[in-house]
Amino acid sequence: MPPRIALALVLHNHQPVGNFGWVFEEVYRRAYEPMVGALERHPAVRVGLHYTGPLLTWFRAEHAELIDRIRALVDRRQVELLGGGYYEPILASLPEADRHGQLVRMAAEMEALFGRRPRGAWLAERVWEPSVPYDLAGAGYEWTVLDDNHLRAASVKEDAMWGAYTTDDQGRRLTIFGTEQGLRYRIPFGGVEDLIGYLREHATERGERVGMMGDDGEKFGSWPGTFEHCWGEGRWVDRCFEALDANGDWLRTVTPSEWLDRDQPIRRIYVPTSSYVEMTEWALPADESNLFHELLARAREERRPEARFLRGGMWRDFQARYREVNDLHKQMLRVSAKVAAMPDGEAKQRALDHLYQGQSNDCYWHGLFGGIYIVHMRMATLGHLIAAEDIADTERHARDGGGGDDCVVVRVEDFDLDGLPDLLLEAPDQTVLIDLDEGGGISSWDLRASRVALASVMRRRREAYHEKLVRHEREGGEDDGGGDAPRTIHEIVKVKEPGLADRLQYDRHERRGGLVHLLAPEEAMPGPDASDLAAGRYRELGDFVDSPFELVEPISRGGVSDEALDPVDHAVGLGPAAVRLGRGPVVLRRHGGLEGPHGERAVSVTKRIALGGHRLDPSLSFEATVENRSGEDLAGFELGLEWSFNMMGGGGNPAAYYERTSGDGDVPLRTRHDASGELAETGHVAFGNTDAGVRIEVELEPSARCTWFPVETVSNSEDGFERAYQGSALWFRWRVEVLRADAQTFTVRFRTRQDRDLSLARAEPDRITPARDH
């Protein structure tokens, strides 16, 4: 009998919550449907398949016949389906109850659709922490698939990765398969003959080895250059399956559970916190990421034995790298606590579904491309969290008989868990989160009825791949499409427009609303224009932009007693520092300084923020008072109030706009929301998005110079480097002249109009855009 070996193929198929319907359809045609067809043509080839919740939802709506075809493959024992978290969350990032809820929901859904409860679970982004066995086993799963990087971290040698291992946590056991590196590099990017030869080299007389290759199903047709290679003239998949059939006397394909029913794990291991090696590289700061990449590549090229011990960062580091990721994660935790406190019933189920969709992993990190920078998916994720919180708050207020339209709950707590207090304003129509320690800026401003996260705008920051872009353009800028042979998306360098390296700009501070700038007098007339502000070409005289503000009211008015709170407030962990207001303002103040020719002069800035309006027309009033405490007259400098808004206006979206008038009675002029514009002096400007049904009118008192410009990052994507709209920066500026011991106040009033309340829809709209809308 010749040496024998088994091959276990596991293909993970996923589309993010909030992705466009035409993307689903395109990947379906290029990867998902062709693979099912290939399996139907080669009934002897056994594989594991994983489809995430968003894909299953879309299949049912758009291609129900595929569900039937997959069920037929399962019934004839050719395909084993995997479970996991329903909406593909990073399990380790979730509260324990949500981990379990997502896992058992997927298991139940798979059993209902395909008649079998899954034994194996796909682990999103292979983000592993030592507690994962407890979660997976507790939900009824027996095994999962990790990467070779995980096994190296557990001291498994290269030639010992052809098998499964067992691990445990808190008395619960889990089996681990590790994707073998050589198989991952060859499937589907190497030659079929080379793959068969590689498997033959690792076959043994006992036939106890299994080679696991678990990876993205999209690499079989959807990744750049792979469709022709896999399904066109290259016919890689069919040729591979034909070769597997032809070598069936010594090479058998198995599903993971089939292998476990016949063979035993090799031994016990304990895997430290890890993910695939690229993820651990991306989690590092930009400069360290490039250094780690170079060190690891050099060590591998030189075949140095220490290469296997090189470790990058961990997935949680994305919360340290990106303020926006941390804010999203902590908002999710806040909402989860509220939903968990709801009584069982239909309302809780609706809230849970939105919460689970808001936990989809894609916007909680950023790698080579995508992630938190993809604006439509970020807004969809936030929209689901807004919906879940709205349902939970509405149900609690109805149950407790409180929370009228004119009620604002003000909470002081460390919401972002940085050790410093934040301020949360909650009303039935909107929520506003203020970071007291960083300029008293508005970190989030969420409209409940339309579920729009107005302030979700990414900071422009240095990324590791920017160095690759700069080098690419310096060397001539020729696209590297990989030549004749397909290459992984990690290797290809392309640009979607020339001169992108010149567009790399980085913000001085986090993007928040209501930030106070005091600008130099020599720049105040005429002062920086939109291009200057976008590039940061202005001189800051004050220390108010990102320095701490103190909360003056309402806490200073006698504090808050436990009796001021609902019991549920304590139950959901929202803390005791809270008070109910009508629509009165919260007041923040900073005693700071203004740079001058003879030293710093004492200046105070007071912010008054008040919420108003109703469900469909909420408002926010913002007053900034500049007080002269220097003992001398101050004049000639400029006050700038900076805001950042997301109206989903990228790509010249005609639905997103700015609207301006040049005088009384003039016809309003609309311009794109992703364009720059300026009004030399105005008391009114408006902006909105007709598709989202949101319009915001801004009133200024006194009239101000109004400037706006798009906030665009330079990001990588499957199609190459490109500009990506993240939102719009909106500045209001006034000349300031303040006598000694005097003050001057400037007011901005935002009046919002929404033409729909999504909570009233009988069937709440799915965030997946139908394919026919493309």
Side-chain angles (χ1 to χ4, degrees), residues 192-383:
V192 171
E193 299 79 7
D194 178 52
L195 170 63
I196 299 299
Y198 184 73
L199 288 165
R200 190 183 296 275
E201 289 174 10
H202 290 87
T204 65
E205 296 293 336
R206 291 174 52 207
E208 80 284 3
R209 286 186 165 185
V210 59
M212 167 61 72
M213 204 301 290
D215 211 343
D216 296 345
E218 292 80 15
K219 69 193 286 187
F220 297 89
S222 177
W223 285 12
T226 59
F227 182 78
E228 280 300 315
H229 174 67
C230 289
W231 309 111
E233 293 184 6
R235 294 187 63 252
W236 193 95
V237 174
D238 279 294
R239 289 192 299 110
C240 177
F241 287 179
E242 291 163 1
L244 293 175
D245 288 339
N247 290 276
D249 58 330
W250 63 272
L251 171 59
R252 64 187 175 105
T253 57
V254 296
T255 64
S257 291
E258 178 186 358
W259 188 88
L260 284 175
D261 288 341
R262 299 180 184 180
D263 296 89
Q264 299 297 317
I266 296 173
R267 63 178 175 87
R268 177 186 292 110
I269 61 173
Y270 292 99
V271 180
T273 298
S274 189
S275 181
Y276 52 86
V277 68
E278 293 87 357
M279 178 70 82
T280 69
E281 175 185 319
W282 299 330
L284 294 169
D287 54 346
E288 295 184 3
S289 177
N290 285 326
L291 177 60
F292 174 78
H293 180 85
E294 294 168 5
L295 288 174
L296 182 59
R298 188 182 312 128
R300 285 176 169 175
E301 182 180 354
E302 297 173 359
R303 298 184 179 276
R304 300 179 66 87
E306 59 266 31
R308 67 192 315 272
F309 298 110
L310 292 177
R311 301 280 179 269
M314 64 180 293
W315 182 85
R316 291 179 187 252
D317 288 333
F318 288 109
Q319 295 170 35
R321 279 200 62 196
Y322 299 95
R323 187 271 299 179
E324 301 89 344
V325 169
N326 186 65
D327 282 359
L328 174 63
H329 180 255
K330 301 312 181 284
Q331 181 171 351
M332 180 270 292
L333 295 180
R334 183 183 88 218
V335 174
S336 176
K338 290 185 176 184
V339 174
M342 296 176 68
D344 292 337
E346 184 270 340
K348 184 171 185 176
Q349 289 306 309
R350 286 190 294 114
L352 276 172
D353 188 62
H354 282 296
L355 171 65
Y356 288 172
Q357 292 189 70
Q359 294 171 339
S360 183
N361 81 85
D362 304 87
C363 293
Y364 287 82
W365 60 283
H366 175 66
L368 181 65
F369 47 76
I372 188 69
Y373 282 104
I374 301 183
V375 67
H376 62 277
M377 294 195 305
R378 185 173 77 243
M379 295 295 278
T381 299
L382 285 163

Side-chain angles (χ1 to χ4, degrees), residues 489-543:
I489 51 180
H490 307 290
E491 301 172 298
I492 299 172
V493 180
K494 296 194 299 182
V495 295
K496 296 181 71 172
E497 64 177 289
L500 282 178
D502 295 332
R503 293 183 175 273
L504 294 173
Q505 296 176 337
Y506 306 117
D507 289 319
R508 299 182 180 188
H509 50 76
E510 298 292 346
R511 291 218 155 265
R512 293 188 169 92
L515 298 179
V516 173
H517 297 265
L518 301 183
L519 301 180
E522 63 268 24
E523 296 176 330
M525 292 295 289
D529 60 15
S531 62
D532 295 323
L533 294 176
R537 291 190 297 265
Y538 56 86
R539 188 156 68 92
E540 191 77 53
L541 295 182
D543 58 356

Side-chain angles (χ1 to χ4, degrees), residues 335-547:
V335 174
S336 176
K338 290 185 176 184
V339 174
M342 296 176 68
D344 292 337
E346 184 270 340
K348 184 171 185 176
Q349 289 306 309
R350 286 190 294 114
L352 276 172
D353 188 62
H354 282 296
L355 171 65
Y356 288 172
Q357 292 189 70
Q359 294 171 339
S360 183
N361 81 85
D362 304 87
C363 293
Y364 287 82
W365 60 283
H366 175 66
L368 181 65
F369 47 76
I372 188 69
Y373 282 104
I374 301 183
V375 67
H376 62 277
M377 294 195 305
R378 185 173 77 243
M379 295 295 278
T381 299
L382 285 163
H384 283 297
L385 294 180
I386 295 168
E389 185 171 38
D390 185 36
I391 294 169
D393 285 347
T394 299
E395 189 276 339
R396 179 163 63 92
H397 292 155
R399 187 176 72 248
D400 298 340
D405 280 354
D406 62 348
C407 176
V408 178
V409 176
V410 180
R411 305 183 188 278
V412 181
E413 189 181 340
D414 181 13
F415 288 99
D416 58 6
L417 299 182
D418 63 353
L420 300 167
D422 306 298
L423 186 64
L424 179 65
L425 283 63
E426 297 180 301
D429 45 40
Q430 59 187 317
T431 63
V432 174
L433 181 65
I434 299 169
D435 194 315
L436 294 172
D437 198 63
E438 294 197 27
I442 294 175
S443 299
S444 68
W445 181 3
D446 298 337
L447 303 179
R448 294 187 188 253
S450 56
R451 299 172 183 168
V452 172
L454 291 175
S456 178
V457 181
M458 288 291 293
R459 178 179 184 175
R460 299 172 298 178
R461 51 170 61 82
R462 188 179 305 278
E463 296 290 352
Y465 49 73
H466 288 167
E467 184 176 307
K468 181 184 293 186
L469 171 64
V470 172
R471 183 170 60 249
H472 175 73
E473 294 198 354
R474 189 168 55 237
E475 293 172 355
E478 293 295 325
D479 280 358
D480 174 15
D484 295 332
R487 300 172 67 183
T488 74
I489 51 180
H490 307 290
E491 301 172 298
I492 299 172
V493 180
K494 296 194 299 182
V495 295
K496 296 181 71 172
E497 64 177 289
L500 282 178
D502 295 332
R503 293 183 175 273
L504 294 173
Q505 296 176 337
Y506 306 117
D507 289 319
R508 299 182 180 188
H509 50 76
E510 298 292 346
R511 291 218 155 265
R512 293 188 169 92
L515 298 179
V516 173
H517 297 265
L518 301 183
L519 301 180
E522 63 268 24
E523 296 176 330
M525 292 295 289
D529 60 15
S531 62
D532 295 323
L533 294 176
R537 291 190 297 265
Y538 56 86
R539 188 156 68 92
E540 191 77 53
L541 295 182
D543 58 356
F544 298 91
V545 178
D546 53 7
S547 297

Side-chain angles (χ1 to χ4, degrees), residues 144-158:
T144 192
V145 180
L146 300 182
D147 266 39
D148 50 292
N149 191 52
H150 298 79
L151 298 192
R152 290 190 194 94
S155 300
V156 176
K157 297 186 183 302
E158 300 298 317

